[in-house]
Amino acid sequence: MAAEMSVWDESGIVPSALDKASGEQRSGRFPAFVQRYSPHFDARPAGETVSLAVLHFISLPAGDFSGEDVERLFLGTLDASRPGYESLAGLRVSSHFFIRRTGEVRQYVDVFDRAWHAGLSNFRGRDACNDFSVGIELEGTEAVPFEDAQYEALEALLRLLSAHLPIRWVTGHEFIAPGRKIDPGPYFDWARVRAFLPEGVALAIAPEDCDREMIERRRRLLERQ
C-alpha cells in the first residue's frame, strides 16, 4: 500500500491504485487529512458512481472524546474484551472519514472503495447505500452539540469531495436507516450545513428519502440466507 501512495498528483489527492476496468490510475486519498488504512472495505460494484455523503456520529466509549478507540475499531485492533465493548466483538466496520472534536480529519478508506458504514439502508428506492456513498463520522453523541471546528472541517471536506466526485446529496444515517439508527442526532445543525453546501449538492433529510418497505423486504431476505 505504501508503495502505491508514494507520488502525489496536482489535484490535491493521492494516487492510490490502478482502476482494474480502465487500467488508468485513480485517486482516492486526500493528503490534507491524516491517513490511516482500515482493512474493512471492498470494491464498489462495477460502474457505480458516488452520489451520496452519509453523516454519522461515533465515540468510544460513548461520550468519551479523549481516546483512540474509534480508530482501533476502524483498524480492527479494538480490544472488545473490555467492559462495555462486548457487542463490538468481531464487528468489521469503517468509514471513509472521521472528524474529531478538534476538527482533525482522518481518512480510513479510499473514496473509490466501499467502506462499511451504512449497513442495512435505503436511499430513494436504492438499497445498500454503501455501494454509492461516502461515509463521514463525526466524533460525538446524541446528547451534546458538535463543535464549530467540526462543521468547518465538514464544509472543507464536502467541498473537496464535490470537486472530485459526483456528490449530489448529503444525508444522515438516521434518514437511510430509520428506526435502527439515530445519528447524527438532534444536536446536529442541518441548517448550518445547508448554508455551506457546495453548488449542486442538496440535503436529503426527509422521511420520504428512505423506502422503509424496501428495507424491511431486504431485512427478511437477509434473515433467510
Side-chain angles (χ1 to χ4, degrees), residues 81-94:
S81 67
R82 292 173 51 188
Y85 283 5
E86 294 85 358
S87 65
L88 302 178
L91 188 63
R92 302 175 69 204
V93 297
S94 63

Side-chain angles (χ1 to χ4, degrees), residues 52 54 118 120-123 129 171-178 210 215:
L52 181 68
V54 179
L120 186 63
S121 53
N122 180 281
F123 178 71
C129 292
T171 191
H173 205 183
E174 62 190 296
F175 299 106
I176 61 171
C210 176
I215 285 185

Side-chain angles (χ1 to χ4, degrees), residues 189-207:
D189 191 342
W190 286 107
R192 182 170 180 172
V193 174
R194 188 191 302 274
F196 63 59
L197 285 177
E199 184 177 356
V201 180
L203 293 185
I205 55 174

Side-chain angles (χ1 to χ4, degrees), residues 66-145:
S66 63
E68 294 289 341
D69 279 355
V70 172
E71 174 150 308
R72 295 184 182 104
L73 176 66
F74 290 163
L75 297 181
T77 61
L78 183 68
D79 180 4
S81 67
R82 292 173 51 188
Y85 283 5
E86 294 85 358
S87 65
L88 302 178
L91 188 63
R92 302 175 69 204
V93 297
S94 63
S95 184
H96 292 92
F97 300 97
F98 177 40
I99 303 178
R100 301 216 63 171
R101 304 293 287 185
T102 60
E104 178 191 72
V105 181
R106 299 182 182 182
Q107 182 173 8
Y108 290 88
V109 176
D110 183 309
V111 296
F112 290 106
D113 288 321
R114 178 171 57 188
W116 303 340
H117 61 95
L120 186 63
S121 53
N122 180 281
F123 178 71
R124 297 187 176 181
R126 297 186 66 189
D127 287 332
C129 292
N130 283 342
D131 289 352
F132 54 93
S133 70
V134 168
I136 302 172
E137 295 272 6
L138 293 98
E139 191 170 36
T141 73
E142 76 282 6
V144 295

Side-chain angles (χ1 to χ4, degrees), residues 21 43-49:
R44 297 186 188 275
E48 188 64 82
T49 59

